[in-house]
Amino acid sequence: MTRAIMHGCNGHMGQVITGLAAGDEELEIVAGIDLSDHVKNTYPVFSSLEDCDVEADVIIDFCSAKAVDGLLDYVVKKRIPAVICTTGLSEEQVARVKEASASVAVLKSANMSLGINMLLKLLKEAALTLAPAGFDMEIVERHHNQKVDAPSGTALALADSMNEALDQAYSYRYDRSGVREKRRKTEIGISAVRGGNIVGEHEVIFAGTDEVIEFKHTAYSKAVFAKGAIEAAKFLAGKPAGFYEMSDVIG
């Protein structure tokens, strides 16, 4: 049985993971970390990681970007593997995640769903075939009106997967309104939509002459991310120090 600490346990995703973990025979949440105490859980909840005295095999993080620095300090100090699901990290924080992975197992993914991670693989092959043939590449992502980062971490991961296949030859264009010019061939456009309670939609468009190919992933509930986080936690527990991704989990 994998024993997990839920970092950000009383947030929406923390509660979704808590509910799914209750029915999982291979993982148990033994403690939670959250500044808020408005939710009653079946496990003890502490206001900070430093206050937590419960032994665990792994930490699942679905908190906020501002709490990630403290989390990294803690996991390095305690040598507890961590699944970092929080998005919107700064470049400095991403660098710190990689630095921490030299001392402890860390898994970070822009999106925890199985479908998105399969799409990342498919897009590499598509880009290798279609970009040299003159197809333009565009990404449109849609999320709920409470999401604070734009474009989404998943949209950037999709763009990165295509750009990696193309030897990083493409630049990213986030907003076309500021510059009146034709679209450059070597760019990937990324558009963000925020509204209502859209869980998450990502559409990748390859637009060529007289034909368009579209890849689309739609998440209908946040349970898809919670399931991925739980599987990642079970995978990461006991792993040696290093940086891991969801591709390692599904591969």
Side-chain angles (χ1 to χ4, degrees):
M1 174 71 74
T2 299
R3 300 167 299 170
I5 294 174
M6 185 66 236
H7 189 236
C9 63
N10 290 340
H12 181 74
M13 282 306 303
Q15 285 299 292
V16 174
I17 292 173
T18 295
L20 288 176
D24 194 299
E25 297 180 351
E26 299 176 350
L27 182 138
E28 177 187 6
I29 297 180
V30 295
I33 310 296
D34 208 297
L35 290 174
S36 173
D37 59 358
H38 70 287
V39 178
K40 288 187 177 181
N41 295 287
T42 57
Y43 47 80
V45 177
F46 302 87
S47 59
S48 72
L49 281 164
E50 293 296 341
D51 293 335
C52 180
D53 57 0
V54 179
E55 294 291 327
D57 304 307
V58 64
I59 296 176
I60 303 174
D61 165 63
F62 246 122
C63 198
S64 64
K66 63 183 179 181
V68 167
D69 291 326
L71 169 68
L72 293 174
D73 290 338
Y74 183 84
V75 299
V76 169
K77 176 182 177 182
K78 299 290 186 179
R79 294 296 193 271
I80 301 178
V83 177
I84 300 178
C85 308
T86 297
T87 60
L89 303 188
S90 66
E91 292 184 4
E92 291 78 10
Q93 287 177 310
V94 172
R96 283 207 64 203
V97 170
K98 295 290 182 67
E99 181 182 341
S101 69
S103 302
V104 64
V106 178
L107 187 149
K108 182 185 179 301
S109 177
N111 191 300
M112 303 303 294
S113 86
L114 176 63
I116 281 291
N117 283 278
M118 181 57 68
L119 181 57
L120 289 170
K121 292 184 177 181
L122 294 174
L123 288 177
K124 288 185 177 182
E125 183 176 351
L128 278 173
T129 301
L130 299 175
F135 282 71
D136 296 322
M137 298 178 291
E138 294 282 322
I139 297 172
V140 180
E141 57 98 341
R142 304 173 182 87
H143 285 86
H144 53 86
N145 57 23
Q146 299 302 302
K147 187 171 181 62
V148 297
D149 55 318
S152 69
T154 300
L156 291 173
L158 295 172
D160 287 345
S161 70
M162 296 186 289
N163 210 3
E164 179 181 335
L166 299 167
D167 295 325
Q168 310 295 340
Y170 282 64
S171 61
Y172 300 159
R173 174 63 63 86
Y174 303 116
D175 182 6
R176 301 192 189 283
S177 64
V179 180
R180 295 179 58 84
E181 64 181 21
K182 289 177 58 179
R183 184 190 195 283
R184 296 189 299 272
K185 295 300 296 182
T186 56
E187 72 178 29
I188 300 174
I190 306 177
S191 302
V193 177
R194 297 290 176 266
N197 62 346
I198 302 171
V199 175
E201 294 182 6
H202 293 86
E203 184 178 8
V204 183
I205 303 165
F206 290 87
T209 302
D210 298 330
E211 60 180 336
V212 175
I213 300 170
E214 298 178 353
F215 293 82
K216 184 176 181 180
H217 177 274
T218 302
Y220 291 102
S221 83
K222 293 188 175 181
V224 298
F225 312 125
K227 291 176 183 176
I230 289 174
E231 292 305 312
K234 291 188 286 188
F235 165 85
L236 198 65
K239 287 291 189 296
F243 183 78
Y244 300 85
E245 298 176 305
M246 279 300 289
S247 58
D248 298 307
V249 178
I250 66 176

